[in-house]
Structure formats: C-alpha cells, structure tokens
Amino acid sequence: MNGKRPQQLTDLAEADRFQILIDAVKDYAIYLLDADGRVTTWNTGAQRFKGYRPDEIIGQHFSVFYTDEDRAIGLPARALHTAATEGRFEAEGWRVRKDGTRFWTHVVIDPVIGEDGGVIGYAKITRDISDKRAADDALMASERRFRLLVQAVRDYAIYMLDPQGNVTNWNAGAQAIKGYTAEEIVGRHFSLFYTEEDRAAGAPERALATARREGRFEGEAQRVRKSGERFWANVLIDPIYDEAGVLIGYAKVTRDITERRKAQAEIERARDALAQAQKLEAIGRLTGGVAHDFNNLLTVIRASADFLRRPDLSEEKRARYVDAIAETAGRAATLTGQLLAFARRQSLKPEVFDVGAQLTGLRQIIGTTLGSSAQLVLDLPEVPLLVEADPSQFETAVLNMVINARDAMPKGGQVRISAAAADRVPAVRGHAAAAGRFVAVEVADTGSGMTPDTITRIFEPFFTTKPVDKGTGLGLSQVYGFVKQSQGEVDVRSELGVGSVFTLYLPRSMAPAPAPHGPRPVDLGAVPARRILLVEDNQGVGHFAAGLLRELGQTVTWVGDGQTALELLAKDAAAFDLVFSDVVMPGMSGIELGHAVKARWPGLEVILTSGYSHVIAEEGSHGFELLRKPYSVDGLLAALRQAPAPAAPAP
C-alpha cells in the first residue's frame, strides 16, 4: 500500500451547482450506482416516476426496479457487465415502481471510471416511455388492421390517389363496386368515375381542393360504373402528408348506397311512426301516478255510494258516508286540475261484449252530447259482433269521437255511427295493412274536416285546434291509447268542407256471447269472517278501507307499508287469515310483499289492489287475486268470497 486513499464517489459530489441541475430534472431519473450496483444518489425525476424517496432507496441494489422474470435471467448483472466492458448499455424494457405497477422505460447506463482506470460506479439515466410504447403499439396494430381491411373488404372501394388525382392502388371492393380491375384503372385519373355533368362542373377538382383545405371531403352523389350504369355513392377523401408536411396523395373510400337511398323514404315513415308511439308512451308513464292517486279517491266515493243505497243504514252512518264523499270530491277536484293527459299504461279490465248492444245502450247519452242541432244515425247489425276489451274505455272512446264530431259541426249536421265485421286493417300511419278478424266501429260526421297536417297530429296529447277554453287535446289520445292496448288500430279519413270519419278496428272475439244482466243489489251475506292485515300507504284510503272491512264483519289490522307488515307477521302470522295490500307503495311494492308472504307463510292468502301499476299492466298480477281501484262493495265482497275460507281453529 502506498498510503494513498482510493478515490471515493463522495469525492465527485462537491459541485453544488451540478447537484442542483440534476435535481431540477423531473422527466428523467438520473442517479449513480456504486461498483456493485447499489444506489448512491437519487434525483427528483427518479422519485417522481419510480415512487421511492431518497431515504428509501439509497443503499439498495438497483435490481429492485427490475421485474421478477428479468431478475431471474440475470438481466441487471448483464446490464452492468455490458456497460463496463463495452462502455455503454442502452435498452428498453419493463421496470417496476414502488407500488408494484409496471412501466416501459428507455435506459442508458454509462460506467464511471476512476483515476486509476477502473470502474468505480455507473451513471444511470431512465425515462418513462409508456405512452410512446402504447402509441407505437397502437400504430402498428392500426397498420396491420388497415392492411387486412384493404385486402378483405368488398363492400367498400378503398384506394389511394397521387397528388394529381391518379389512382395508385385498388382493392377488391373497388373492383366489385366500380367494375374495373387493378390493371385497367391504376394510373388513370379518378374523375373517370364521375358523371359527365359533374366533370363539366369541376366536381372532381373541388373535392380534392376541399380535402386539402379542410382536411376532409365527404359527400353523396351519383357515380358511374365501368358498364356506364349510375349508382349512388357515399364518398370520403382524406389528404395524406409525409413527416415533412408535404402532400403525397389522398385516401379515398367509396360505398354503394343505392339500396339505402331507395329505402330511405320507408325508413323515414317508420321513424315518424316510432317517434309518435314513443311520445304517447312517455306521456302515459309520466301521468300514471296521477291516475293512481285519482283512483284512490274514487275508491272512497264508490264504496260510500254503495253503502248509501242500503235502506237499513242509520242516520249517523249515512252522515259519515256523505261527509266522506264530499271531502274526497274536493280533493279529487284539486287533483283533476293537475291531470294534464291521459295515461295509456292503465290496467284495463277486458270483457267480452257485443259492440252493437253497447252502442245501443249509449244512444241516449250520445244524443244528449250532440244536442238538438245534430242528427244521430245508428247503423248497427242485427247479429252480435263480439270483441274483448274494456267496455267502459270503449264507451269513453266513442264519446270522445262524438264530442270531436260535435265540435266540428257548430251549425249542426249529421253523425252516423256504424259497426260491421272487417277482414283486415288498412295501412295506417306507416304500418302495413294487416289481415284478420276485426270489428270496425265507424263514427262519421259532416263537419268542417281536417287538413293532412292536422291528421298527422290529432292523436298527440295536448294537440287541439279548438280555442283554449274549448278543449284540452286529450280526447283522441285516449282513443289511441285504448285501441293500442286492445291490440287494435284507429284510422282517420277527412276532407275539408266535407267531414271526417274515425274507424276503430278491434279484434273480433270468438268467445260465447255473455248473458245480459242488470244491476244487482249488494249482498252482504255469506262472507266468512276473517282476520285481515290491511297494507295501505294512503291515509285516506287506508282509514276508509279499514272501516269498510269492519262494516263487512271482518277483523282488521292496518299498517302503512310492506316492511311493517312483514315484521308484524314475523311476530304472530297465525293471528291473520288474509293480507289485503295496495300494489304501489314506497319501498316494498305489494307484489314483492305478496311473494315474501307466500315464501314464508304459504297458507296465508294474499289479495292485491291497485288503481295504477305499469307492472300489472305489462306483466299481469303475478298469480295473486287483483281487485282494481276504484272497487265497489260488491267487488270487494266478491274478492273476499273467492279467497279460501279460514281454517277452523283446532279443538
């Protein structure tokens, strides 16, 4: 030993300005390793994208940044060996951050040579190029996909032009669409595909100029095949520039859209019909909740009226029911002011009925509606014409059409209502004609008639040609909703100054004709006494329904929601014979409650009631007895009688 201390790395770190420079670099990890590969310095850039603070990494071996698989094959040691023996190591590869995530890096390792010529350490510079790699991979994948596309696509003509517009390559799709082989067309000007009038007007040159100026040209126009046949084409032209920004040509894509153009008119008609149906559907869903609340009020009124018909009712109870009707009618008047449209998603109650008999029964009401200035003519067949639909909604639809006819004849006229069998429905609002067995109900007037534009809009909710205080524009939307839910159709014919004809087409029923029956008195007898769990969230309806059930000899426990009902049953399900629940409630619905009850207590009967529920309207009652609001006393009794009688208590 000559007593001279070997040169250390610390001797090289005396220039403060150099250290400040290194620490200021944030996009590169710049640090030193000792001769064994341990980290001795650490800059801001290294901390930023490797995640280690200086006190966490200085002294550790740099192989901690490598992946497990790279360490397993000795890549860190080979990198240092290459740097020491060849004077430099440079490569790209995966590295690992402190949090374990991988990133793609560009790495340079240079040996640090001491005064004695030996390697005393290594200078290491690393850059995160993950974004660049992702971009390069995407570009390569894109180029591969494009080559496959050009070679395989036959529905598109995909080819290139030189800066003057001459064809430089040609794909199979171009040959299939335009008719030229590559040998016939490469080198010729693309204006060959244009019509003579377009060439004379300079359309090819304008297309290339637009692509250069705006970076893209797109349009639809007629083009010419090799055979001379014209076809409609969708054309796209993109300019292509080299790395220096010099224009080197154009990419051109052409598609034959002749068939699409032919079908475009049909598509537009279908789209208009769909938009109309969706508009009416949205109105129905939005207002369904209002209809539900209104039916709750009608339940109180209807049941109170039924009880007031009883001759043996005491004055005290009579006064109570009269007060209930008066109070509920006031709330109904307020709610009616908020009802802005007819809800199509109501739960209809279809019955088989004779259209002729139903219209005959409406004669007096229709005559009163029309007034003395209009003449009513009924042309009805002698044989029954049966349909299966909601009879009350049918009557409402007919009356709405009669009111429409009356308003179209301010100076009087004639309304003819007829019914006949039909073997098809004509093409209506873009829908094709349909064959089948139908009953056609026709309401014809001699009024002012309508313009074609008005006819296209008459079934829209709120649309009306009447003064503000003469109509809401809701009547014909009810007609539309009724026939659609009844699997039927409505047709309109009109001529200005002559009149209008509305025709309802309802599917004809082959079921036997129902026996006629008149109003029946409410029979309060033969109703088994039950212990009923009433589930109703509406306070007014719940209070009234509980009182009504008690009047009918039932024992009632009333709760306001399904969860409370389940908790009560869990404590003592044997205390109840029947669950009587509304369908639409906050939280758990009546259908969900019914399923939960049947799953845990199969012997417990469930009856559901609802004034409105899109679930029931679309999917049915899910196997439960359903009593529709507004229900009468007679309807409630029928539901109670239909449910199995409670089992007798064990001796």
Side-chain angles (χ1 to χ4, degrees):
M1 302 263 321
N2 55 13
K4 190 175 181 180
R5 181 175 62 86
Q7 189 176 15
Q8 301 293 320
L9 286 172
T10 52
D11 296 337
L12 304 176
E14 300 178 54
D16 291 338
R17 287 180 299 175
F18 180 77
Q19 185 62 48
I20 291 173
L21 171 64
I22 295 298
D23 284 337
V25 176
K26 296 182 173 58
D27 293 328
Y28 289 81
I30 304 174
Y31 53 98
L32 287 173
L33 308 177
D34 65 16
D36 297 322
R38 287 185 293 271
V39 178
T40 61
T41 66
W42 198 244
N43 82 320
T44 304
Q47 180 175 338
R48 187 174 70 87
F49 60 79
K50 298 203 177 195
Y52 295 92
R53 299 190 309 272
D55 60 314
E56 294 176 315
I57 197 61
I58 289 177
Q60 293 198 50
H61 197 271
F62 85 113
S63 61
V64 72
F65 310 132
Y66 283 70
T67 63
D68 291 340
E69 51 269 36
D70 284 348
R71 287 199 298 269
I73 62 174
L75 185 58
R78 286 209 307 271
L80 296 186
H81 177 74
T82 299
T85 58
E86 299 180 11
R88 179 185 180 85
F89 173 84
E90 183 173 1
E92 291 183 5
W94 290 109
R95 294 296 183 267
V96 182
R97 295 187 175 92
K98 176 185 175 182
D99 62 7
T101 59
R102 296 187 176 196
F103 63 106
W104 191 259
T105 63
H106 176 267
V107 178
V108 175
I109 303 176
D110 290 308
V112 179
I113 308 300
E115 293 178 353
D116 57 1
V119 175
I120 61 174
Y122 301 89
K124 194 167 186 296
I125 300 176
T126 304
R127 188 178 186 187
D128 184 347
I129 59 170
S130 301
D131 292 342
K132 178 178 177 297
R133 176 182 170 86
D136 291 342
D137 289 346
L139 179 60
M140 291 178 62
S142 176
E143 290 174 349
R144 286 195 299 269
R145 288 194 298 268
F146 181 76
R147 285 195 297 270
L148 291 173
L149 173 69
V150 170
Q151 295 300 324
V153 170
R154 293 184 58 83
D155 291 330
Y156 289 81
I158 304 174
Y159 54 99
M160 293 180 64
L161 308 175
D162 65 18
Q164 289 72 43
N166 299 308
V167 178
T168 60
N169 57 34
W170 198 244
N171 82 323
Q175 180 173 339
I177 292 173
K178 298 182 186 273
Y180 295 92
T181 64
E183 292 76 14
E184 293 174 315
I185 199 64
V186 171
R188 301 178 69 178
H189 198 270
F190 84 112
S191 60
L192 180 67
F193 312 132
Y194 282 68
T195 63
E196 290 183 3
E197 53 268 33
D198 283 348
R199 285 199 299 269
E205 292 76 14
R206 285 202 306 273
L208 297 185
T210 300
R212 291 193 302 271
R213 182 179 63 255
E214 300 179 10
R216 174 189 182 92
F217 171 83
E218 185 173 11
E220 291 184 4
Q222 285 191 326
R223 294 291 185 265
V224 182
R225 306 187 207 276
K226 176 184 176 182
S227 64
E229 176 192 1
R230 295 190 177 196
F231 67 102
W232 277 96
N234 177 273
V235 179
L236 178 67
I237 304 176
D238 288 307
I240 303 173
Y241 297 93
D242 64 14
E243 294 178 354
V246 177
L247 178 72
I248 60 174
Y250 303 89
K252 194 169 186 297
V253 180
T254 302
R255 187 179 188 189
D256 186 344
I257 59 168
T258 305
E259 293 302 319
R260 193 191 80 184
R261 294 278 299 197
K262 290 179 180 178
Q264 191 167 2
E266 289 296 327
I267 293 173
E268 289 298 326
R269 284 196 291 269
R271 186 180 293 118
D272 289 342
L274 177 61
Q276 173 74 358
Q278 289 174 333
K279 191 183 303 180
L280 294 175
E281 174 75 8
I283 293 295
R285 288 190 178 275
L286 286 172
T287 59
V290 180
H292 169 258
D293 292 341
F294 190 76
N295 279 325
N296 279 338
L297 302 174
L298 289 179
T299 297
V300 177
I301 295 173
R302 174 72 179 270
S304 297
D306 285 339
F307 267 103
L308 287 173
R309 291 192 182 100
R310 293 173 54 185
D312 59 340
L313 198 66
S314 68
E315 286 302 318
E316 178 185 353
K317 290 183 178 179
R318 188 179 301 276
R320 185 198 313 163
Y321 291 127
V322 169
D323 290 343
I325 290 175
E327 180 184 351
T328 306
R331 294 201 303 272
T334 301
L335 184 59
T336 302
Q338 302 169 354
L339 186 58
L340 300 179
F342 179 82
R344 280 183 57 211
R345 279 295 178 185
Q346 59 197 340
S347 180
L348 299 183
K349 194 165 186 177
E351 299 175 9
V352 176
F353 63 87
D354 177 18
V355 167
Q358 204 78 13
L359 291 172
T360 300
L362 281 176
R363 177 191 289 270
Q364 183 175 354
I365 297 175
I366 293 174
T368 302
T369 301
L370 288 175
S372 59
S373 63
Q375 178 190 8
L376 172 64
V377 177
L378 289 182
D379 183 10
L380 304 176
E382 296 182 1
V383 296
L385 293 175
L386 303 180
V387 298
E388 186 172 4
D390 188 316
S392 65
Q393 290 298 320
F394 172 77
E395 292 178 353
T396 301
V398 171
L399 288 174
N400 276 329
M401 290 187 293
V402 168
I403 292 170
N404 206 60
R406 178 201 66 192
D407 293 344
M409 303 184 303
K411 296 181 180 180
Q414 183 188 86
V415 173
R416 176 180 292 273
I417 302 177
S418 61
D423 59 3
R424 65 191 294 104
V425 173
V428 178
R429 290 178 298 281
H431 298 286
R437 298 172 60 90
F438 297 91
V439 175
V441 179
E442 188 175 277
V443 179
D445 65 64
T446 58
S448 56
M450 295 177 286
T451 65
D453 181 63
T454 298
I455 292 175
T456 63
R457 301 189 60 193
I458 54 175
F459 295 118
E460 294 180 14
F462 317 119
F463 176 76
T464 179
T465 58
K466 302 172 186 177
V468 174
D469 58 344
K470 297 297 183 182
T472 63
L474 300 176
L476 292 180
S477 69
Q478 183 273 336
V479 175
Y480 181 90
F482 163 69
V483 296
K484 285 298 185 181
Q485 285 187 277
S486 302
Q487 312 305 313
E489 189 56 87
V490 55
D491 186 28
V492 185
R493 305 188 307 276
S494 186
E495 185 177 348
L496 283 175
V498 177
S500 302
V501 180
F502 286 79
T503 306
L504 302 185
Y505 291 91
L506 298 174
R508 192 170 178 180
S509 173
M510 295 294 103
H517 59 81
R520 295 176 296 158
V522 177
D523 179 12
L524 299 181
V527 181
R530 290 183 177 84
R531 298 163 298 172
I532 297 177
L533 177 56
L534 172 65
V535 188
E536 172 62 66
D537 65 302
N538 184 282
Q539 291 293 316
V541 176
H543 180 77
F544 186 83
L548 176 58
L549 289 168
R550 292 188 182 104
E551 288 282 350
L552 298 176
Q554 311 300 305
T555 302
V556 181
T557 302
W558 171 31
V559 296
D561 59 83
Q563 190 59 45
T564 303
L566 289 179
E567 293 171 358
L568 193 59
L569 289 171
K571 293 179 181 177
D572 188 8
F576 300 98
D577 305 308
L578 185 146
V579 175
F580 184 50
S581 175
D582 190 20
V583 170
V584 180
M585 297 183 295
M588 180 181 293
S589 72
I591 293 175
E592 293 169 334
L593 172 62
H595 286 310
V597 168
K598 284 298 184 181
R600 297 178 64 180
W601 304 284
L604 190 57
E605 292 302 316
V606 176
I607 297 177
L608 301 179
T609 180
S610 179
Y612 172 81
S613 171
H614 71 275
V615 175
I616 289 178
E618 295 174 355
E619 304 177 14
S621 59
H622 293 258
F624 299 107
E625 175 71 18
L626 175 66
L627 184 61
R628 192 179 68 170
K629 295 177 182 178
Y631 52 78
S632 63
V633 173
D634 196 40
L636 180 57
L637 287 170
L640 293 176
R641 290 191 182 109
Q642 186 171 340

